[in-house]
Amino acid sequence: MDERNQSAGITFILLGFSEYLQVQVPLFLAFFTIYTISVVGNLGMIVIIRINPKLHTPMYFFLSHLSFLDFCYSSITTPKLLEILVVDRRTISYMDCMMQFFFDCTFVITDMFMLAVMAYDWSVAVCNPLLYTVAMSPKLCSLLVAGTYTWGGSCSLTITCSLLELSFCGSNVTHHFGCEYSAIVSASCSDSHFSQMTRFIISTLSEVCSLLLILASYIFIIVTIIKMPSAGGLRKAFSTCASHLTAITIFHGVILLLYCVPNSRSSWLFIKVATVLYTIVIPMLNPIIYSLRNNDVKETIRKLVNTKMFSHPM
């Protein structure tokens, strides 16, 4: 207990990309631009879905929550990253670090299962189009969303509690720009075996379960598409699923890469780059991926732009 009380008063030093002093300003500008596009894109997607009655369907209901999750987990880490790129005092308190990790972990795991829920939604839309609105009732949609948030929060709370049991009594320097799991464990001076096992079990279970749900959904989709007699229906089905498959591939690809890399000095840079991809770049890409191939979203954007132009005559 005394060791944990001492840990609560410590401060972590975030090295970030400090070893590359010559690119601090370019990195700040690049990350700030990407983050701005991400915030505008995700909040814009939520607004577009809210104001267009045609988009009040289960598919867009899940998409609005995906945009909310992307906005949240990019906003937890990115401001601190931008801060340590321009100030000399690159520190974060113990409690702030644990809070950052908890919320970041919550939203990432929830995002993982939200993609799986969206895959299930696509499978129902493609396999049973006539019964889609009945099968995906508002109550079921709400329960699926509530389930993803509950699972994400529960998993994150369990891992965070295991981290709170660790002691920090030596160097509190972390080779990262945020409170990523491996960076926190590396700074600990106590036995982290239980915490690492907890994290491994939860991470593996979440990744495998979400990927199995996605795989099962797309097996049904592919079988249905193959049986489609018309080429028009085939193209429409592929177009509908292409955006979601792209988002899944990018997100899970980066997550799997991150967990396959050993936590050693030689891989610190790779871990930081991979973390940048899933905390900053992917939240920016999702609104672009889903809007570029979606005529309803593009039509709503055009109407908003035209309304703004005509409401302010020269």
Side-chain angles (χ1 to χ4, degrees):
M1 181 65 72
D2 290 339
E3 288 181 346
R4 289 200 293 271
N5 288 338
Q6 290 175 6
S7 296
I10 70 168
T11 299
F12 291 107
I13 300 171
L14 305 175
L15 292 183
F17 296 96
S18 58
E19 62 266 41
Y20 307 101
L21 292 174
Q22 67 276 15
V23 293
Q24 295 288 291
V25 174
L27 283 176
F28 174 86
L29 294 174
F31 293 152
F32 180 77
T33 302
I34 294 170
Y35 177 61
T36 303
I37 295 171
S38 172
V39 170
V40 173
N42 284 297
L43 293 182
M45 183 67 75
I46 295 171
V47 171
I48 287 168
I49 292 170
R50 293 276 301 199
I51 65 175
N52 188 348
K54 287 177 64 179
L55 303 182
H56 293 175
T57 63
M59 178 179 73
Y60 292 105
F61 174 70
F62 296 131
L63 182 55
S64 66
H65 279 278
L66 183 71
S67 295
F68 172 73
L69 290 168
D70 285 342
F71 165 74
C72 287
Y73 79 74
S74 66
S75 297
I76 290 166
T77 306
T78 310
K80 193 65 183 180
L81 168 59
L82 296 174
E83 177 189 329
I84 65 175
L85 284 170
V86 295
V87 300
D88 294 327
R89 197 169 186 271
R90 303 179 175 94
T91 60
I92 185 170
S93 70
Y94 175 81
M95 289 309 298
D96 286 346
C97 187
M98 292 300 152
M99 290 292 287
Q100 185 191 88
F101 173 81
F102 170 75
F103 285 111
D104 188 45
C105 186
T106 297
F107 291 126
V108 169
I109 295 176
T110 305
D111 198 293
M112 189 183 296
F113 279 90
M114 192 63 67
L115 288 170
V117 168
M118 291 175 71
Y120 171 73
D121 175 64
W122 288 123
S123 69
V124 175
V126 173
C127 301
N128 298 291
L130 298 179
L131 298 175
Y132 175 63
T133 53
V134 177
M136 298 302 294
S137 64
K139 183 178 180 179
L140 177 61
C141 293
S142 299
L143 286 173
L144 288 171
V145 168
T148 62
Y149 281 97
T150 302
W151 177 255
S154 301
C155 290
S156 179
L157 182 62
T158 304
I159 300 173
T160 305
C161 286
S162 74
L163 285 175
L164 290 171
E165 294 296 315
L166 300 180
S167 300
F168 301 88
C169 49
S171 173
N172 300 322
V173 176
T174 62
H175 295 269
H176 210 282
F177 55 81
C179 294
E180 196 264 342
Y181 181 85
S182 60
I184 298 173
V185 170
S186 297
S188 172
C189 60
S190 58
D191 184 10
S192 61
H193 177 72
F194 174 75
S195 178
Q196 291 190 50
M197 283 301 299
T198 302
R199 180 252 199 170
F200 175 78
I201 292 169
I202 290 175
S203 300
T204 304
L205 182 65
S206 297
E207 186 70 22
V208 170
C209 288
S210 62
L211 285 176
L212 284 176
L213 287 170
I214 292 167
L215 181 62
S217 298
Y218 272 95
I219 288 173
F220 283 109
I221 291 171
I222 291 169
V223 170
T224 303
I225 288 175
I226 292 172
K227 293 179 180 178
M228 284 183 177
S230 66
L234 192 68
R235 282 195 302 270
K236 185 176 180 181
F238 269 121
S239 177
T240 302
C241 299
S243 300
H244 188 239
L245 271 174
T246 304
I248 288 171
T249 303
I250 296 172
F251 182 83
H252 282 279
V254 173
I255 294 292
L256 288 172
L257 266 178
L258 191 60
Y259 282 105
C260 288
V261 175
N263 183 27
S264 60
R265 183 182 295 272
S266 59
S267 61
W268 284 341
L269 178 60
F270 182 86
I271 291 173
K272 285 186 280 191
V273 172
T275 308
V276 166
L277 286 176
Y278 86 80
T279 57
I280 304 176
V281 178
I282 291 177
M284 176 198 70
L285 291 177
N286 280 346
I288 298 172
I289 290 169
Y290 285 106
S291 62
L292 286 179
R293 301 183 65 88
N294 193 304
N295 291 328
D296 290 330
V297 172
K298 288 190 285 188
E299 182 62 29
T300 305
I301 294 172
R302 277 196 294 268
K303 286 181 179 179
L304 281 174
V305 172
N306 290 335
T307 302
K308 286 288 184 182
M309 289 176 63
F310 287 114
S311 65
H312 297 286
M314 297 298 290

